[in-house]
Amino acid sequence: MDESAGDAATGESVADAPVAEDDALAAPTGATTSADKAGPAGGGKKQRPFWKEVPLLVVAAIVMAVIIKTFFVQAFFIPSQSMQNTLQPGDRVLVDKLSPWFGATPQRGQVIVFQDPGGWLNGEDLPAPSSNSVERDFQSVLSTIGLMPSANDQDLIKRVIAVGGDTVVCKSGSPVSVDGVALSEPYIYPGATPCNDYPVGTVTVPKGDLWVMGDHRNDSADSRYQRLYNSAGGGFVPLKDVVGRAFVVAWPVSHWSVLSVPSTFHQSGLSAAALPAAADSAALVLPLSLWYVRRRRNRR
């Protein structure tokens, strides 16, 4: 499996808070300050001790983490070699789960995480669960709140090669072509062949589906493999099964990189996908920008 696959804090500037003059400094010698007048029963709100605040902060942080994992960003773990060299076994990627809520759909060249459409995991490596029960329970808790990838997610990760309505040609000894445009694929694993292992010929992707491939073509049970050896689904990934788009390798630090769309998918014959891709980014950025502007106005 490519993924058992398992994903923010905000603060206020002290500069936004009004600064009050210190009564003790402002009052003349011998004068009674407002603090003295107020006394212990001056009506001021008594601050909780720090040790009482900590549990509330922890609960708030957990709630925020669950919300972020559910609706915004989730971390996923890469257990297999099928996306090398773009992704290495053990990498953690962050997946954008917000864009689909605004109608954005995956575009050619994007790396996506999706739920098993049916029988795909039989041809993929699955992560081995820990033999330590305490470690398994700890991982389960952290994965629930989105701080660690889950070891039980039935998800995969591949690159989108074609979208609904596209015609893919995948023949032995030839590059992959989409709608008649041959793809130069510098991202595939060194020495791997585009289609030699599973030459499926000519395939038209139905509307509402995707055609996906692993970057390590000789070690990926992707759409080609599924079409030849899995009788269900024809090798297509329904849009409803897409979890989100992987946009960055977050861990380990030495592997950090942005998962951008390769230039081969920006060729003129495939330019129709460029506008939806831009809309995808806008769907993520625009709502957050509007929220921020509205929040700033309300505070004035």
Side-chain angles (χ1 to χ4, degrees), residues 164-212:
D166 289 346
T167 297
V168 179
V169 178
C170 187
K171 297 180 179 180
S172 181
S174 300
V176 178
S177 72
V178 178
D179 288 347
V181 178
L183 302 182
S184 173
E185 302 184 282
Y187 47 81
I188 66 174
Y189 188 75
T193 56
C195 284
N196 288 14
D197 292 82
Y198 311 117
V200 295
T202 302
V203 179
T204 298
V205 184
K207 294 291 185 181
D209 287 342
L210 303 170
W211 182 268
V212 299

Side-chain angles (χ1 to χ4, degrees), residues 247-267:
F247 64 94
V248 69
V249 180
W251 189 263
V253 175
S254 58
H255 291 178
W256 189 93
S257 63
V258 175
L259 299 174
S260 56
V261 175
S263 59
T264 188
F265 294 95
H266 296 156
Q267 298 180 72

Side-chain angles (χ1 to χ4, degrees), residues 27-49:
T29 305
T32 304
T33 67
S34 59
D36 295 330
K37 293 176 182 178
K45 186 176 181 181
K46 187 176 180 181
Q47 187 175 6
R48 292 190 185 91

Side-chain angles (χ1 to χ4, degrees), residues 13-290:
S13 170
V14 293
D16 294 330
V19 179
E21 183 182 12
D22 191 327
D23 288 338
L25 296 177
T29 305
T32 304
T33 67
S34 59
D36 295 330
K37 293 176 182 178
K45 186 176 181 181
K46 187 176 180 181
Q47 187 175 6
R48 292 190 185 91
F50 178 72
W51 63 271
K52 288 185 177 181
E53 294 283 352
V54 171
L56 297 177
L57 293 174
V58 171
V59 171
I62 292 175
V63 171
M64 285 298 298
V66 172
I67 292 174
I68 290 171
K69 172 191 170 183
T70 303
F71 300 106
F72 295 93
V73 175
Q74 186 174 353
F76 287 87
F77 170 77
I78 308 301
S80 75
Q81 297 85 14
S82 69
M83 279 296 291
Q84 289 178 313
N85 274 336
T86 303
L87 300 173
Q88 302 293 339
D91 283 354
R92 270 72 170 175
V93 299
L94 298 183
V95 172
D96 164 26
K97 301 176 70 175
L98 176 63
S99 295
W101 286 84
F102 294 93
T105 57
Q107 301 300 313
R108 306 182 195 100
Q110 292 180 346
V111 176
I112 64 167
V113 170
F114 57 96
Q115 297 171 354
D116 184 356
W120 283 49
L121 290 175
N122 294 334
E124 295 283 344
D125 296 329
L126 295 174
S130 172
S131 58
N132 188 309
S133 60
V134 175
E135 184 177 337
R136 287 199 307 270
D137 293 341
F138 184 65
Q139 180 178 1
S140 178
V141 172
L142 292 183
S143 64
T144 299
I145 62 177
L147 297 181
M148 189 173 182
S150 172
N152 301 314
D153 287 341
Q154 302 297 292
D155 300 313
L156 302 99
I157 186 165
K158 304 289 182 191
R159 188 182 299 277
V160 178
I161 301 298
V163 297
D166 289 346
T167 297
V168 179
V169 178
C170 187
K171 297 180 179 180
S172 181
S174 300
V176 178
S177 72
V178 178
D179 288 347
V181 178
L183 302 182
S184 173
E185 302 184 282
Y187 47 81
I188 66 174
Y189 188 75
T193 56
C195 284
N196 288 14
D197 292 82
Y198 311 117
V200 295
T202 302
V203 179
T204 298
V205 184
K207 294 291 185 181
D209 287 342
L210 303 170
W211 182 268
V212 299
M213 294 185 186
D215 288 355
H216 194 165
R217 295 288 164 80
N218 303 102
D219 191 14
S220 178
D222 52 30
S223 288
R224 303 165 300 150
Y225 177 92
Q226 302 300 328
R227 187 167 184 84
L228 293 174
Y229 302 110
N230 185 355
S231 58
F236 304 116
V237 177
L239 290 175
K240 65 179 180 61
D241 291 336
V242 176
V243 175
R245 173 178 58 90
F247 64 94
V248 69
V249 180
W251 189 263
V253 175
S254 58
H255 291 178
W256 189 93
S257 63
V258 175
L259 299 174
S260 56
V261 175
S263 59
T264 188
F265 294 95
H266 296 156
Q267 298 180 72
S268 58
L270 300 174
S271 59
L275 289 177
D280 187 0
S281 301
L284 175 62
V285 175
L286 185 58
L288 295 179
S289 301
L290 293 175

